[in-house]
Amino acid sequence: MKQYLLYVLFVLTIGSMVALSASLFGDDNDLNAFYEEDIPLAASIDTELGDFADTFAVLSETFDEPIRESDISQMERLAADPTLDEAMPHPLGTINVIFEARPTTLTVEAEVYREDGTYLILYFSGDEDVVEALDERIMAYYDELGI
């Protein structure tokens, strides 16, 4: 009887391993579709808190009209909050912009680092064509700086 129970346990173990392998390494279409739908396209730029307004002046060149000063100063105040956890994305808000004569909205998030001053990584998400144009402007800006 003991040998029979060991045999059943062995068969169940092998079956479980096969099922686990199939679920882990099986068709990833559902998983890929989940990630593609839930992760918005984003552009990012690195800046110091002291250069916040200047960074937005560069980014404003992408749009038909500059980003409003009130939006920039509000986001700067939020990014300067000393209670923000480091290395965690924090929402700074949304900004309304006009891109190619079309009004649209960008969502802005920031990761904060405070080693030698306050350093930020800003993330911008929104309509795909707007984010791609913004990313092109950021890359051109990095080229201008020689980065």
Side-chain angles (χ1 to χ4, degrees):
M1 181 74 159
K2 186 176 179 181
Q3 291 175 340
Y4 179 72
L5 288 175
L6 287 174
Y7 176 73
V8 170
L9 184 60
F10 175 75
V11 170
L12 286 174
T13 303
I14 295 297
S16 298
M17 289 173 43
V18 169
L20 180 63
S21 296
S23 69
L24 288 176
F25 302 109
D27 188 18
D28 286 340
N29 289 337
D30 293 334
L31 186 60
N32 289 338
F34 171 77
Y35 284 118
E36 288 175 5
E37 290 178 17
D38 291 339
I39 299 174
L41 184 64
S44 68
I45 189 167
D46 304 347
T47 188
E48 293 182 16
L49 187 59
D51 297 331
F52 197 86
D54 294 335
T55 301
F56 274 88
V58 170
L59 298 177
S60 287
E61 296 173 9
T62 308
F63 308 113
D64 297 351
E65 297 177 3
I67 298 171
R68 294 186 321 197
E69 291 292 326
S70 60
D71 290 339
I72 295 170
S73 60
Q74 178 184 2
M75 287 187 289
E76 187 173 13
R77 276 193 305 274
L78 290 171
D81 183 356
T83 63
L84 293 178
D85 293 331
E86 286 193 44
M88 298 288 298
H90 298 282
L92 295 183
T94 58
I95 51 177
N96 296 317
V97 295
I98 298 177
F99 179 72
E100 296 179 349
R102 174 178 47 98
T104 189
T105 303
L106 283 174
T107 302
V108 183
E109 293 182 336
E111 286 182 24
V112 180
Y113 298 90
R114 296 181 192 93
E115 191 166 315
D116 295 323
T118 303
Y119 180 77
L120 305 168
I121 301 174
L122 300 172
Y123 298 101
F124 301 89
S125 59
D127 292 340
E128 186 174 330
D129 59 336
V130 177
V131 172
E132 287 175 352
L134 192 57
D135 189 54
E136 287 176 19
R137 178 62 192 115
I138 291 168
M139 298 313 290
Y141 176 65
Y142 284 153
D143 285 343
E144 291 169 12
L145 294 177
I147 297 175

